[in-house]
Amino acid sequence: MLARPLELPCGVSLKNRLIKSPMSDSLGDGQGNPTESQIRLYERWAEGGVALSLIGEVQGDHRYPEKPGNLVLGPGANWPAMQALARRGSANGTHVWPQLGHAGALSHAPISDPRGPSALDVEGLKCDGMSVDEILELPGIYARTAKLAKDAGFGGVQIHAGHGFLFSQFLSPLFNRRTDAYGATIDGRFRIIREVIDAVRQAVGPAFPIGIRINATDKLEGGLTEEDALSVIRLLDQTLVDLIDISGGTYFPGAAASSDGIATSVPYFIELARRAKEVTGIPVVATGGYETRDQARDAVENGFVDAASLARAMVLEPGLANSWLTGDGGDPDFPVFDAPPRGGVTAWYSMRLTALGEDDEAQFDLTPAQAVDAYEARDAQRCITWQERFG
C-alpha cells in the first residue's frame, strides 16, 4: 500500500505514500539563499525514495522569518541556487515543495519586529497587531512567492498554517482577538487563509499542487481545539487545495497545556486525520510519531490517512523510504537522551541535518547540550549576516 501512487485533485501524482515532513533545517546562508549542504540534503532524500520533500519555513517576506537560516524566495534571491535546490531535490521522481511561511508574532526578534493578528504583551511574547491593510497585503505576497516557486522548478507549495506561526495564529483564539471580519468566529479567523489560497491558485494555475499544514490542536487551554480543526477542514474542503497536512502544538507562554488531542500512542493525530477524511475529499496526511514501517502501513491501509509524513525518522535514515518500500531495511533506531537541556533534542536533530547535508553523519557525535551551543552560535552569526543583507 505504501508503494501506491497518490493522485492529487489538481491531477499531479505522488509516486508513493511516504512524505518527508517540513522541518526548519536552518541551512540557509543567512541571506535567504540555499547552501550546498541544504541542496545536498534534499537530494539525499530524493535519492532515498521519498515521494515528497517539504522545505520548512521558506519566507516570501524577509521581515518576518522564523530563524535566520530560513530561505527567502523573493527579489534578490540567488536564483541559480534556488533552481539547483528544486532540480536536485526532485531527482528520482520526487516532488520538492517549499513550505511558504510567515512567523507573525513568533518572528525571530533579533531580525524582526514581530506582528500578529492581535497585539500581545505577555511574559515571553510581545508583538504588535496587524492592520487591515497589512492583512490585505498577504494574498499578494503569497501569490508572488508561489509563482516564483513554480518558476524556479519546484513541484508545488505548502501554505504553513500550523505550529503557532502566522496563519495558525489567525486560527487560534489565543493569538486572534480581533472583532472584525478577520476574527471573532472560526469563519472569520479562516478568512485570510481562504483569500491566500484563492490568490495562490490564481497565480500558479489549476495543475500546480497547493498543500496546507494545519494544527489538529494547539494543545493549550484557550487555543485551537480538535473540533475547531474539523471546522477548518470543512472550510478547506470548499477551496482548491490538494493536500491537507495535520500536525499540532503551539508555543504560547502562560497558557496551560490542555488534554485536547494529546495522543496516548504513536503515530500522533491519526484519530483527527480519520475524522477529517469523513468531512473532506481532499487527501489527508498526518505528521509525527511514525517509528516503524508497520505504523505507516497500517495508517494508510486502514484509511486513516492517505500518506504518512515523517520528520525525525527521515533525519535518522535519509534512505528510509527505499528501505520500507522494498522490504530490505528495518526501522530507524531512535536515540534516547538522558536529561537533555531544554531544546536539546530539537537542536540535536537540527545539527544532524547539517551532517547529512555534508555527507558526514558517520562522524556526527554531538550531545544535545553541544548541539544547542552549536545551533545558537550559528544562529547568532547568521543574524548578523541577515541584517547586512536585509537591513
Side-chain angles (χ1 to χ4, degrees):
M1 188 66 194
L2 292 177
R4 293 182 183 178
L6 175 61
E7 189 83 10
L8 302 180
C10 66
V12 166
S13 180
L14 302 180
K15 66 178 183 178
N16 61 54
R17 306 299 180 99
L18 294 173
I19 295 171
K20 197 286 297 178
S21 179
M23 292 174 279
S24 180
D25 58 57
S26 200
L27 280 173
D29 64 0
Q31 300 185 61
N33 299 310
T35 58
E36 173 58 30
S37 293
Q38 189 174 37
I39 294 168
R40 175 58 182 150
L41 175 65
Y42 285 86
E43 183 177 49
R44 289 194 66 180
W45 279 318
E47 293 169 349
V50 73
L52 167 63
S53 281
L54 291 152
I55 306 169
E57 296 297 341
V58 178
Q59 309 298 328
D61 187 338
H62 69 269
R63 296 174 296 173
Y64 306 105
E66 173 259 353
K67 288 289 185 180
N70 293 167
L71 298 184
V72 180
L73 190 53
N78 183 333
W79 199 245
M82 291 288 183
Q83 291 176 312
L85 176 58
R87 182 182 67 257
R88 290 168 59 183
S90 58
N92 196 29
T94 296
H95 270 249
V96 60
W97 302 356
Q99 180 192 60
L100 306 186
H102 182 308
L106 300 184
S107 298
H108 195 55
I111 52 174
S112 183
D113 181 16
R115 304 180 76 81
S118 303
L120 298 170
D121 189 359
V122 299
E123 186 175 356
L125 179 61
K126 183 176 182 178
C127 73
D128 293 328
M130 299 176 73
S131 69
V132 171
D133 285 345
E134 288 172 322
I135 294 172
L136 293 176
E137 291 176 354
L138 294 170
I141 292 170
Y142 275 79
R144 288 192 296 273
T145 309
K147 183 59 165 59
L148 285 172
K150 181 179 181 181
D151 292 345
F154 293 103
V157 294
Q158 183 190 70
I159 296 168
H160 196 358
H163 294 176
F165 297 112
L166 183 66
F167 292 147
S168 175
Q169 293 162 23
F170 268 94
L171 292 174
S172 174
L174 281 171
F175 287 91
N176 189 343
R177 302 170 185 185
R178 303 180 72 96
T179 58
D180 62 9
Y182 292 99
T185 66
I186 194 68
D187 293 74
R189 299 198 300 271
F190 179 78
R191 178 175 176 170
I192 186 57
I193 298 173
R194 181 193 300 277
E195 292 172 353
V196 165
I197 292 169
D198 290 347
V200 169
R201 177 56 74 199
Q202 182 68 28
V204 299
F208 190 74
I210 301 172
I212 188 166
R213 165 167 279 191
I214 66 167
N215 272 4
T217 167
D218 286 346
K219 297 187 180 180
L220 295 170
E221 293 291 344
L224 185 89
T225 66
E226 284 200 347
E227 293 307 316
D228 291 334
L230 285 173
S231 295
V232 171
I233 291 164
R234 291 186 182 96
L235 293 167
L236 285 170
D237 192 58
Q238 302 168 20
T239 71
L240 294 175
V241 296
D242 297 291
L243 192 66
I244 299 172
D245 179 2
I246 296 173
S247 188
T250 289
Y251 169 76
F252 190 97
S258 76
S259 59
D260 180 69
I262 295 180
T264 56
S265 61
V266 292
Y268 313 133
F269 313 120
I270 287 292
E271 177 58 22
L272 191 279
R274 182 193 65 77
R275 296 176 68 192
K277 286 179 60 63
E278 295 174 354
V279 300
T280 183
I282 298 167
V284 173
V285 305
T287 293
Y290 296 97
E291 297 178 348
T292 69
R293 175 173 50 192
D294 287 350
Q295 290 170 345
R297 182 199 62 213
D298 291 349
V300 175
E301 285 188 350
N302 290 328
F304 299 154
V305 295
D306 293 289
S309 182
L310 299 87
R312 291 179 174 180
M314 292 280 185
V315 181
L316 297 173
E317 298 287 348
L320 189 66
N322 281 338
S323 295
W324 281 6
L325 293 171
T326 63
D328 292 339
D331 301 320
D333 184 15
F334 284 82
V336 177
F337 302 108
D338 183 24
R342 181 179 177 85
V345 175
T346 298
W348 187 90
Y349 279 94
S350 295
M351 296 311 297
R352 182 173 168 83
L353 288 172
T354 302
L356 290 177
E358 296 171 351
D359 289 292
D360 196 33
E361 65 270 24
Q363 306 302 317
F364 180 74
D365 62 354
L366 294 181
T367 66
Q370 291 170 332
V372 169
D373 290 343
Y375 185 88
E376 291 181 349
R378 183 175 67 181
D379 260 10
Q381 182 58 49
R382 284 180 174 166
C383 281
I384 297 171
T385 306
W386 189 281
Q387 293 284 19
E388 292 172 346
R389 166 69 176 84
F390 297 111

